[in-house]
Every structure is written in structure tokens, then in C-alpha cells.
């Protein structure tokens, strides 16, 4: 197991490359979904305030 | 065929299609990612020259390929938008930019981490590396330009022109290792030739590329949905959608 994590002496490089990749991938998914949810909420609020003004 | 095309070109249908496709792209991508990781980190043997250090290839090549694929998608949809004045094409183009920037960032950082042990340096002003850095700035420029122009039509046109002009950088990235003396190694994969790497090292790479490709498409669907809603906010179908649905759908 330790041998696996050591990656023949390249452990630091291999694991940091994989970590950065997956942190960035996860962040991209998270930002995309949050952006969609925010857009939806904002449009909903705009719509409600418009309905209030027009009786 | 044409009927299908016209249907897809209507914003509500486009939005619904993106909503339906999204999970069918996202979950298979995660499964393939798990298989590819196991294949690349556990199953594939160590390299004769680079030892276990070469395993960075499984995150470096997919992100590099997707950084270019996303740009070509952005440029082609921008061109379609500019020529035929298709709003939906600009929706796709605008959704591409943050995804492409993320893949380019991953390509540059994993490349630097690979360069340090193998070349003895994180960075060189080499044609391949420099043109890839330019790609990153093209994505950033595209996003800043869109942000700076408040009017959507104007933002679409200006950023569209930038995307189309910037596409010249893509063949430069691709052929840089052949045109100039480069520290970067030539392509491991080619459509026309047999791959330069062995089969047990190759299949995890292909699985990872497919995983990244599906993930890119899933992210694109999410981005497209936000773009379509924003542009169609005054349309009746968006109003109905916002009224009838809760947080989901």
C-alpha cells in the first residue's frame, strides 16, 4: 500500500496532479450548478416583483 | 431530420433536451472516471523510462484534448451565431467558455507538475506551452468581454468574433511539436497511426478521455440551460416553468 502511494518516488508529483485535476473538475461542476440555480432564483424574484406591480 | 432540427432550434425544446440529457451524460462520466482511475493508477504498468511519473498522462492528455475540443465548439457555434444570427448557437458558445478555461487550467498545471521531474523545470517558453497559455487567455478574454458588454446582442457579436479569430491558435497548439523544436513530446495518440503507447497503458487513457468528454458535455448542458433561461426570461414558457416547478427541473 505504501508502495502504491510512493509511486516509485514520484508520489508528490502524481498525487498533486490528480488532486488539482479533481478539485478543479468538482469546482467546475459546482459553479455550473450554482449558476443555474442562481439564475433561476433571480428570474423568479424578478417575475414576482413584476406581478406585484401589475394588479 | 429537418423536422427534428427545427424542433431542437426552439428554445423551450432545446432547454428540455438539455435537461433530459444532463444526467445521462454526468453519471456515466463518473463511472468511466472511476474505471479510468483504477486502470491508470493500479492496472497499468510503470513506464520503462519515466517509472510511475508517467501516470500524470491520465489527467494531462484528457484535459488538454478537452481544452481544444471545447474551444473548437465555442468557435464553430460562434460562427453559426454570427452567420445565421442564431441565438441558441450563442448560448452554446457562451456556456463553453468557463468549461474550456477550467480544462486549460488543468492541462497547464498538470503539465507543469509533469515537467518538473522529467524536464527539470515547471515552465519553459516553448511553442506548445506558450500556445496553450494563449488558449487560456483567449477563454479569459472571451469571458471578460461578455461581462463588459451589458447588452446581450452586442456581447454575443463581439465575443463571437474573438472566438472565431482565436481559433487559429488551435492548429498552432496541435502542430507546435512538429513545426518547431519542442521540449514537449509528440502526440501519443493519432487518428491515422497506431498509438505510440502499449495497450495496457492505452485503454485507461481512452477511458479517461471519454469520461472527460462526457463530463464536458454534461457541464455544457448545465451552462446552456442557464444561458437559455437568461435570454428567454420574458418568454411565456420560462414564466410557466418558474411558476410550476420547484427547485428542480
Amino acid at each position: 500500500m505504501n508502495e502504491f502511494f510512493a509511486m516509485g518516488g514520484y508520489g508528490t508529483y502524481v498525487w498533486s496532479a490528480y488532486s488539482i485535476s479533481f478539485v478543479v473538475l468538482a469546482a467546475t461542476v459546482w459553479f455550473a450548478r450554482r449558476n443555474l440555480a442562481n439564475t433561476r432564483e433571480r428570474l423568479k424574484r424578478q417575475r414576482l416583483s413584476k406581478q406585484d406591480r401589475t394588479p | 431530420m429537418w423536422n427534428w432540427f427545427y424542433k431542437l432550434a426552439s428554445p423551450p425544446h432545446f432547454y428540455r433536451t438539455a435537461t433530459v440529457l444532463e444526467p445521462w451524460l454526468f453519471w456515466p462520466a463518473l463511472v468511466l472516471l472511476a474505471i479510468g482511475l483504477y486502470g491508470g493508477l493500479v492496472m497499468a504498468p510503470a513506464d520503462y523510462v519515466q517509472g510511475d511519473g508517467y501516470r500524470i498522462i491520465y489527467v494531462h492528455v484528457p484535459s488538454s484534448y478537452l481544452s481544444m475540443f471545447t474551444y473548437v465548439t465555442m468557435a464553430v457555434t460562434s460562427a453559426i451565431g454570427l452567420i445565421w444570427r442564431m441565438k441558441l448557437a450563442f448560448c452554446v458558445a457562451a456556456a463553453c467558455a468557463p468549461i474550456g478555461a477550467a480544462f486549460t487550467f488543468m492541462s497547464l498545471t498538470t503539465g507543469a507538475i509533469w515537467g518538473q521531474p522529467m524536464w527539470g523545470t515547471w515552465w519553459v517558453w516553448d511553442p506548445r506551452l506558450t500556445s496553450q497559455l494563449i488558449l487560456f487567455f483567449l477563454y479569459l478574454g472571451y469571458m471578460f468581454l461578455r461581462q463588459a458588454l451589458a447588452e446581450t446582442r452586442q456581447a454575443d457579436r463581439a465575443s463571437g468574433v474573438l472566438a472565431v479569430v482565436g481559433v487559429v491558435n488551435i492548429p498552432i497548439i496541435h502542430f507546435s511539436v512538429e513545426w518547431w523544436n519542442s521540449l514537449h513530446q509528440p502526440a501519443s495518440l493519432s487518428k491515422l497511426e497506431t498509438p505510440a503507447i502499449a495497450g495496457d497503458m492505452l485503454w485507461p487513457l481512452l477511458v479517461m478521455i471519454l469520461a472527460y468528454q462526457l463530463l464536458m458535455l454534461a457541464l455544457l448542458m448545465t451552462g446552456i440551460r442557464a444561458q437559455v433561461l437568461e435570454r428567454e426570461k420574458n418568454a411565456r414558457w420560462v414564466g410557466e416553468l418558474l411558476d410550476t416547478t420547484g427547485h428542480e427541473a
Side-chain angles (χ1 to χ4, degrees):
Chain A
M1 207 59 197
N2 270 335
E3 206 181 309
F4 175 70
F5 286 111
M7 283 284 159
Y10 291 111
T12 324
Y13 300 110
V14 172
W15 296 118
S16 55
Y18 276 75
S19 313
I20 288 175
S21 298
F22 289 103
V23 167
V24 175
L25 277 184
T28 312
V29 171
W30 187 76
F31 275 113
R33 293 187 171 184
R34 198 191 60 161
N35 180 42
L36 177 60
N38 284 351
T39 305
R40 184 188 283 284
E41 285 304 308
R42 183 162 39 81
L43 296 182
K44 214 169 189 171
R45 270 200 307 276
Q46 282 175 7
R47 189 173 157 75
L48 289 176
S49 64
K50 216 181 270 174
Q51 279 169 348
D52 285 345
R53 268 175 287 152
T54 49
Chain B
M1 170 67 196
W2 284 108
N3 193 23
W4 172 83
F5 187 76
Y6 283 125
K7 233 175 129 187
L8 194 69
S10 93
H13 191 77
F14 200 68
Y15 181 90
R16 271 195 295 274
T17 310
T19 311
V20 171
L21 284 179
E22 195 182 8
W24 290 97
L25 295 162
F26 183 74
W27 294 109
L30 287 199
V31 172
L32 286 174
L33 210 54
I35 297 170
L37 279 182
Y38 185 75
L41 290 170
V42 183
M43 303 276 285
D47 183 65
Y48 178 66
V49 181
Q50 299 197 0
D52 285 310
Y54 92 95
R55 292 183 200 277
I56 294 173
I57 199 173
Y58 298 113
V59 283
H60 180 66
V61 168
S63 56
S64 307
Y65 159 66
L66 263 305
S67 72
M68 293 196 276
F69 178 88
T70 311
Y71 195 90
V72 173
T73 309
M74 187 170 96
V76 169
T77 48
S78 291
I80 293 173
L82 288 170
I83 296 166
W84 288 290
R85 295 172 192 272
M86 242 179 95
K87 274 194 219 160
L88 287 178
F90 285 121
C91 285
V92 180
C96 279
I99 305 168
F103 281 123
T104 313
F105 178 79
M106 284 155 60
S107 162
L108 287 166
T109 46
T110 55
I113 293 168
W114 202 357
Q116 176 59 24
M118 301 306 165
W119 301 342
T121 178
W122 301 101
W123 183 264
V124 276
W125 292 100
D126 165 284
R128 171 55 73 83
L129 280 67
T130 308
S131 51
Q132 185 69 359
L133 185 65
I134 291 172
L135 182 69
F136 186 60
F137 290 137
L138 278 170
Y139 279 123
L140 294 190
Y142 180 96
M143 290 192 284
F144 281 129
L145 192 57
R146 290 199 68 90
Q147 204 120 65
L149 297 170
E151 212 236 313
T152 314
R153 257 166 57 94
Q154 207 184 4
D156 279 344
R157 277 209 220 134
S159 65
V161 170
L162 175 69
V164 171
V165 170
V167 84
V168 294
N169 191 40
I170 296 295
I172 294 177
I173 297 172
H174 184 74
F175 292 110
S176 56
V177 287
E178 292 171 27
W179 291 346
W180 297 287
N181 267 324
S182 175
L183 206 51
H184 197 285
Q185 64 186 58
S188 312
L189 295 174
S190 160
K191 281 194 193 83
L192 302 172
E193 290 156 49
T194 37
I197 64 174
D200 44 2
M201 289 179 173
L202 178 65
W203 76 259
L205 183 59
L206 297 177
V207 172
M208 287 296 279
I209 291 174
L210 188 59
Y212 272 50
Q213 178 74 73
L214 291 181
L215 198 57
M216 175 267 175
L217 292 172
L219 282 163
L220 191 59
M221 294 307 136
T222 318
I224 285 170
R225 289 170 68 195
Q227 287 287 332
V228 172
L229 281 186
E230 186 70 57
R231 282 154 204 260
E232 295 282 303
K233 59 186 169 196
N234 296 322
R236 226 177 73 189
W237 71 271
V238 173
E240 284 165 2
L241 185 95
L242 292 174
D243 286 343
T244 52
T245 52
H247 197 69
E248 277 304 305

